[in-house]
mmCIF file of all heavy atoms in Angstrom:
data_model
loop_
_atom_site.group_PDB
_atom_site.id
_atom_site.type_symbol
_atom_site.label_atom_id
_atom_site.label_comp_id
_atom_site.label_asym_id
_atom_site.label_seq_id
_atom_site.Cartn_x
_atom_site.Cartn_y
_atom_site.Cartn_z
ATOM 1 N N PRO A 22 201.920 170.529 201.852
ATOM 2 C CA PRO A 22 202.649 170.156 200.626
ATOM 3 C C PRO A 22 201.997 168.959 199.939
ATOM 4 O O PRO A 22 201.604 168.004 200.578
ATOM 5 C CB PRO A 22 204.025 169.779 201.131
ATOM 6 C CG PRO A 22 204.136 170.339 202.500
ATOM 7 C CD PRO A 22 202.764 170.451 203.036
ATOM 8 N N ARG A 23 201.856 169.077 198.603
ATOM 9 C CA ARG A 23 201.359 167.961 197.775
ATOM 10 C C ARG A 23 202.560 167.184 197.247
ATOM 11 O O ARG A 23 202.587 165.965 197.305
ATOM 12 C CB ARG A 23 200.538 168.454 196.609
ATOM 13 C CG ARG A 23 199.189 169.059 197.015
ATOM 14 C CD ARG A 23 198.371 169.465 195.827
ATOM 15 N NE ARG A 23 199.233 170.046 194.809
ATOM 16 C CZ ARG A 23 198.849 170.269 193.562
ATOM 17 N NH1 ARG A 23 197.664 169.930 193.173
ATOM 18 N NH2 ARG A 23 199.654 170.789 192.685
ATOM 19 N N TYR A 24 203.525 167.903 196.648
ATOM 20 C CA TYR A 24 204.735 167.252 196.187
ATOM 21 C C TYR A 24 205.880 168.270 196.116
ATOM 22 O O TYR A 24 205.657 169.449 196.095
ATOM 23 C CB TYR A 24 204.568 166.514 194.861
ATOM 24 C CG TYR A 24 204.316 167.393 193.645
ATOM 25 C CD1 TYR A 24 205.400 167.829 192.841
ATOM 26 C CD2 TYR A 24 203.049 167.770 193.230
ATOM 27 C CE1 TYR A 24 205.179 168.612 191.734
ATOM 28 C CE2 TYR A 24 202.816 168.542 192.119
ATOM 29 C CZ TYR A 24 203.881 168.956 191.384
ATOM 30 O OH TYR A 24 203.697 169.727 190.271
ATOM 31 N N ARG A 25 207.086 167.706 196.102
ATOM 32 C CA ARG A 25 208.296 168.528 196.029
ATOM 33 C C ARG A 25 209.202 167.921 195.000
ATOM 34 O O ARG A 25 209.305 166.707 194.931
ATOM 35 C CB ARG A 25 208.995 168.580 197.395
ATOM 36 C CG ARG A 25 210.312 169.320 197.383
ATOM 37 C CD ARG A 25 210.885 169.479 198.767
ATOM 38 N NE ARG A 25 209.986 170.320 199.553
ATOM 39 C CZ ARG A 25 209.640 170.099 200.816
ATOM 40 N NH1 ARG A 25 210.140 169.084 201.453
ATOM 41 N NH2 ARG A 25 208.819 170.904 201.428
ATOM 42 N N ILE A 26 209.845 168.763 194.213
ATOM 43 C CA ILE A 26 210.826 168.300 193.222
ATOM 44 C C ILE A 26 212.126 169.041 193.480
ATOM 45 O O ILE A 26 212.139 170.266 193.574
ATOM 46 C CB ILE A 26 210.351 168.532 191.771
ATOM 47 C CG1 ILE A 26 209.034 167.797 191.501
ATOM 48 C CG2 ILE A 26 211.424 168.150 190.790
ATOM 49 C CD1 ILE A 26 208.487 168.057 190.111
ATOM 50 N N LYS A 27 213.196 168.264 193.524
ATOM 51 C CA LYS A 27 214.516 168.845 193.646
ATOM 52 C C LYS A 27 215.293 168.414 192.400
ATOM 53 O O LYS A 27 215.307 167.219 192.061
ATOM 54 C CB LYS A 27 215.197 168.382 194.907
ATOM 55 C CG LYS A 27 216.574 168.951 195.141
ATOM 56 C CD LYS A 27 217.151 168.440 196.440
ATOM 57 C CE LYS A 27 218.539 169.005 196.647
ATOM 58 N NZ LYS A 27 219.156 168.487 197.885
ATOM 59 N N ALA A 28 215.949 169.346 191.715
ATOM 60 C CA ALA A 28 216.680 169.005 190.497
ATOM 61 C C ALA A 28 217.842 169.973 190.320
ATOM 62 O O ALA A 28 217.744 171.139 190.688
ATOM 63 C CB ALA A 28 215.755 169.088 189.286
ATOM 64 N N PRO A 29 218.933 169.482 189.709
ATOM 65 C CA PRO A 29 220.037 170.398 189.461
ATOM 66 C C PRO A 29 219.764 171.426 188.360
ATOM 67 O O PRO A 29 220.414 172.455 188.320
ATOM 68 C CB PRO A 29 221.196 169.448 189.039
ATOM 69 C CG PRO A 29 220.566 168.129 188.711
ATOM 70 C CD PRO A 29 219.233 168.105 189.350
ATOM 71 N N ARG A 30 218.782 171.154 187.479
ATOM 72 C CA ARG A 30 218.507 172.102 186.378
ATOM 73 C C ARG A 30 217.042 172.005 185.975
ATOM 74 O O ARG A 30 216.478 170.919 185.900
ATOM 75 C CB ARG A 30 219.403 171.802 185.191
ATOM 76 C CG ARG A 30 219.225 172.773 184.059
ATOM 77 C CD ARG A 30 220.542 172.937 183.309
ATOM 78 N NE ARG A 30 220.410 173.735 182.133
ATOM 79 C CZ ARG A 30 220.407 175.047 182.084
ATOM 80 N NH1 ARG A 30 220.552 175.729 183.147
ATOM 81 N NH2 ARG A 30 220.288 175.685 180.931
ATOM 82 N N MET A 31 216.425 173.179 185.676
ATOM 83 C CA MET A 31 215.078 173.257 185.171
ATOM 84 C C MET A 31 215.029 174.243 184.047
ATOM 85 O O MET A 31 215.665 175.291 184.093
ATOM 86 C CB MET A 31 214.082 173.720 186.272
ATOM 87 C CG MET A 31 212.673 173.823 185.802
ATOM 88 S SD MET A 31 211.594 174.574 187.037
ATOM 89 C CE MET A 31 211.568 176.257 186.467
ATOM 90 N N MET A 32 214.275 173.907 182.972
ATOM 91 C CA MET A 32 214.090 174.814 181.853
ATOM 92 C C MET A 32 212.574 174.960 181.592
ATOM 93 O O MET A 32 211.861 173.975 181.614
ATOM 94 C CB MET A 32 214.751 174.241 180.594
ATOM 95 C CG MET A 32 216.256 174.126 180.718
ATOM 96 S SD MET A 32 216.980 173.064 179.479
ATOM 97 C CE MET A 32 216.429 171.480 180.042
ATOM 98 N N HIS A 33 212.169 176.189 181.335
ATOM 99 C CA HIS A 33 210.759 176.480 181.064
ATOM 100 C C HIS A 33 210.559 176.727 179.608
ATOM 101 O O HIS A 33 211.333 177.432 178.968
ATOM 102 C CB HIS A 33 210.304 177.705 181.848
ATOM 103 C CG HIS A 33 208.874 178.051 181.603
ATOM 104 N ND1 HIS A 33 208.515 179.003 180.636
ATOM 105 C CD2 HIS A 33 207.751 177.586 182.155
ATOM 106 C CE1 HIS A 33 207.201 179.083 180.625
ATOM 107 N NE2 HIS A 33 206.710 178.232 181.494
ATOM 108 N N PHE A 34 209.509 176.135 179.018
ATOM 109 C CA PHE A 34 209.167 176.283 177.605
ATOM 110 C C PHE A 34 207.871 177.022 177.451
ATOM 111 O O PHE A 34 206.796 176.558 177.915
ATOM 112 C CB PHE A 34 209.115 174.881 176.932
ATOM 113 C CG PHE A 34 210.459 174.249 176.890
ATOM 114 C CD1 PHE A 34 210.944 173.504 177.967
ATOM 115 C CD2 PHE A 34 211.270 174.378 175.771
ATOM 116 C CE1 PHE A 34 212.169 172.893 177.899
ATOM 117 C CE2 PHE A 34 212.510 173.783 175.704
ATOM 118 C CZ PHE A 34 212.960 173.028 176.788
ATOM 119 N N PRO A 35 207.897 178.219 176.841
ATOM 120 C CA PRO A 35 206.695 179.033 176.760
ATOM 121 C C PRO A 35 205.630 178.491 175.812
ATOM 122 O O PRO A 35 204.451 178.805 175.993
ATOM 123 C CB PRO A 35 207.214 180.373 176.235
ATOM 124 C CG PRO A 35 208.448 180.032 175.476
ATOM 125 C CD PRO A 35 209.042 178.857 176.201
ATOM 126 N N ALA A 36 205.972 177.681 174.858
ATOM 127 C CA ALA A 36 205.000 177.163 173.886
ATOM 128 C C ALA A 36 203.836 176.457 174.560
ATOM 129 O O ALA A 36 202.660 176.707 174.219
ATOM 130 C CB ALA A 36 205.665 176.247 172.861
ATOM 131 N N ASP A 37 204.139 175.620 175.562
ATOM 132 C CA ASP A 37 203.056 174.934 176.279
ATOM 133 C C ASP A 37 203.094 175.213 177.779
ATOM 134 O O ASP A 37 202.404 174.566 178.549
ATOM 135 C CB ASP A 37 203.101 173.417 176.010
ATOM 136 C CG ASP A 37 204.422 172.791 176.437
ATOM 137 O OD1 ASP A 37 205.300 173.502 176.935
ATOM 138 O OD2 ASP A 37 204.534 171.556 176.299
ATOM 139 N N ASP A 38 203.919 176.157 178.183
ATOM 140 C CA ASP A 38 204.063 176.566 179.554
ATOM 141 C C ASP A 38 204.464 175.384 180.457
ATOM 142 O O ASP A 38 204.059 175.318 181.621
ATOM 143 C CB ASP A 38 202.760 177.215 180.067
ATOM 144 C CG ASP A 38 202.982 178.036 181.356
ATOM 145 O OD1 ASP A 38 204.139 178.423 181.609
ATOM 146 O OD2 ASP A 38 201.995 178.249 182.062
ATOM 147 N N SER A 39 205.273 174.447 179.916
ATOM 148 C CA SER A 39 205.736 173.311 180.716
ATOM 149 C C SER A 39 207.170 173.555 181.130
ATOM 150 O O SER A 39 207.844 174.441 180.623
ATOM 151 C CB SER A 39 205.609 172.038 179.884
ATOM 152 O OG SER A 39 206.540 172.060 178.813
ATOM 153 N N SER A 40 207.629 172.709 182.051
ATOM 154 C CA SER A 40 208.993 172.776 182.501
ATOM 155 C C SER A 40 209.609 171.378 182.445
ATOM 156 O O SER A 40 208.970 170.391 182.801
ATOM 157 C CB SER A 40 209.076 173.277 183.957
ATOM 158 O OG SER A 40 208.582 174.608 184.038
ATOM 159 N N TRP A 41 210.877 171.328 182.017
ATOM 160 C CA TRP A 41 211.661 170.087 182.018
ATOM 161 C C TRP A 41 212.692 170.186 183.112
ATOM 162 O O TRP A 41 213.328 171.216 183.287
ATOM 163 C CB TRP A 41 212.318 169.884 180.678
ATOM 164 C CG TRP A 41 211.442 169.303 179.641
ATOM 165 C CD1 TRP A 41 210.731 169.964 178.691
ATOM 166 C CD2 TRP A 41 211.137 167.906 179.452
ATOM 167 N NE1 TRP A 41 209.986 169.071 177.940
ATOM 168 C CE2 TRP A 41 210.245 167.806 178.345
ATOM 169 C CE3 TRP A 41 211.542 166.760 180.089
ATOM 170 C CZ2 TRP A 41 209.733 166.602 177.894
ATOM 171 C CZ3 TRP A 41 211.051 165.538 179.599
ATOM 172 C CH2 TRP A 41 210.171 165.501 178.511
ATOM 173 N N LEU A 42 212.832 169.120 183.852
ATOM 174 C CA LEU A 42 213.810 169.035 184.933
ATOM 175 C C LEU A 42 214.772 167.911 184.674
ATOM 176 O O LEU A 42 214.387 166.841 184.223
ATOM 177 C CB LEU A 42 213.121 168.819 186.273
ATOM 178 C CG LEU A 42 212.209 169.993 186.687
ATOM 179 C CD1 LEU A 42 210.783 169.578 186.535
ATOM 180 C CD2 LEU A 42 212.508 170.438 188.057
ATOM 181 N N ILE A 43 216.065 168.158 184.956
ATOM 182 C CA ILE A 43 217.110 167.176 184.744
ATOM 183 C C ILE A 43 217.388 166.480 186.074
ATOM 184 O O ILE A 43 217.511 167.139 187.100
ATOM 185 C CB ILE A 43 218.389 167.848 184.199
ATOM 186 C CG1 ILE A 43 218.117 168.681 182.948
ATOM 187 C CG2 ILE A 43 219.496 166.820 183.960
ATOM 188 C CD1 ILE A 43 217.548 167.902 181.783
ATOM 189 N N SER A 44 217.461 165.151 186.056
ATOM 190 C CA SER A 44 217.745 164.332 187.248
ATOM 191 C C SER A 44 216.888 164.685 188.456
ATOM 192 O O SER A 44 217.405 164.982 189.517
ATOM 193 C CB SER A 44 219.231 164.425 187.615
ATOM 194 O OG SER A 44 220.054 163.978 186.572
ATOM 195 N N PRO A 45 215.552 164.703 188.275
ATOM 196 C CA PRO A 45 214.708 165.085 189.385
ATOM 197 C C PRO A 45 214.601 164.055 190.487
ATOM 198 O O PRO A 45 214.688 162.848 190.237
ATOM 199 C CB PRO A 45 213.359 165.281 188.684
ATOM 200 C CG PRO A 45 213.380 164.255 187.618
ATOM 201 C CD PRO A 45 214.781 164.277 187.082
ATOM 202 N N HIS A 46 214.438 164.524 191.679
ATOM 203 C CA HIS A 46 214.105 163.723 192.849
ATOM 204 C C HIS A 46 212.782 164.247 193.317
ATOM 205 O O HIS A 46 212.693 165.434 193.646
ATOM 206 C CB HIS A 46 215.186 163.879 193.921
ATOM 207 C CG HIS A 46 215.039 162.977 195.073
ATOM 208 N ND1 HIS A 46 216.001 162.843 196.044
ATOM 209 C CD2 HIS A 46 214.056 162.098 195.443
ATOM 210 C CE1 HIS A 46 215.601 161.968 196.955
ATOM 211 N NE2 HIS A 46 214.426 161.519 196.612
#
């Protein structure tokens, strides 16, 4: 493992293929 993210919500945006996470740990 390099890194792990835990979040209550994730949204993916196709325009730049990025993801936004809310309250990430």
Side-chain angles (χ1 to χ4, degrees):
R23 291 184 322 166
Y24 68 92
R25 176 174 294 139
I26 299 177
K27 182 178 179 183
R30 183 149 173 83
M31 180 186 97
M32 296 164 289
H33 179 264
F34 292 85
D37 60 358
D38 198 21
S39 68
S40 297
W41 278 96
L42 295 107
I43 306 300
S44 300
H46 187 172

